[in-house]
Amino acid sequence: MRKLLSVLALGALLASCGEEKKEEKKGGFEMNRTKTKTRAVEAKSEGVPVDMDNQGVGPYKDITFDADINADMAAAGEAKFKAVCTACHMVDKRLIGPALKGVYERRSPAWVMNMIA
């Protein structure tokens, strides 16, 4: 009797696992995860937005450049640039941060100083 029950249980197990499932498509809701639409590549706008009125957040408000360059201040700025800024910025090439060439054409001097400070 025990053998007969074991054979029947094994047969039922094989019968339930052996058939392929046939899916019938019915009208109505269907969930399909494959993408069918292809998005057109959006053209990147040329240039960087210019915002000369923004002074940034910080202590510097009105900054103007003198006609003469203070050599001591320029040397101190160069040392700070090499120590801090070159990790993310280059002059002509974008790294993590934007290229710094022409930054005063895109931003006000006060904004730049507030970003550095």
Side-chain angles (χ1 to χ4, degrees):
M1 184 73 174
R2 195 172 212 170
K3 279 188 174 182
L4 181 62
L5 286 175
S6 300
V7 171
L8 286 176
L10 184 61
L13 180 65
L14 290 175
S16 66
C17 295
E19 290 184 31
E20 287 185 35
K21 292 183 179 179
K22 294 182 181 178
E23 294 183 21
E24 293 181 22
K25 290 193 176 188
K26 298 178 182 177
F29 180 75
E30 179 181 337
M31 186 171 174
N32 188 357
R33 293 183 181 226
T34 59
K35 291 184 179 181
T36 56
K37 291 182 181 179
T38 57
R39 292 184 181 179
V41 177
E42 295 177 15
K44 291 184 178 180
S45 62
E46 293 296 320
V48 178
V50 176
D51 189 8
M52 297 303 286
D53 295 329
N54 187 355
Q55 300 293 315
V57 177
Y60 301 101
K61 297 299 174 197
D62 276 331
I63 295 179
T64 57
F65 293 120
D66 295 331
D68 298 329
I69 295 175
N70 183 338
D72 294 334
M73 189 180 278
E78 181 181 13
K80 185 168 185 173
F81 176 79
K82 286 181 179 177
V84 178
C85 303
T86 56
C88 299
H89 298 279
M90 287 183 71
V91 175
D92 293 331
K93 185 178 177 184
R94 175 172 170 63
L95 288 178
I96 295 170
L100 295 179
K101 183 177 182 179
V103 70
Y104 291 116
E105 296 168 4
R106 301 184 303 264
R107 301 288 183 183
S108 67
W111 186 91
V112 174
M113 289 300 292
N114 284 323
M115 287 297 293
I116 293 172

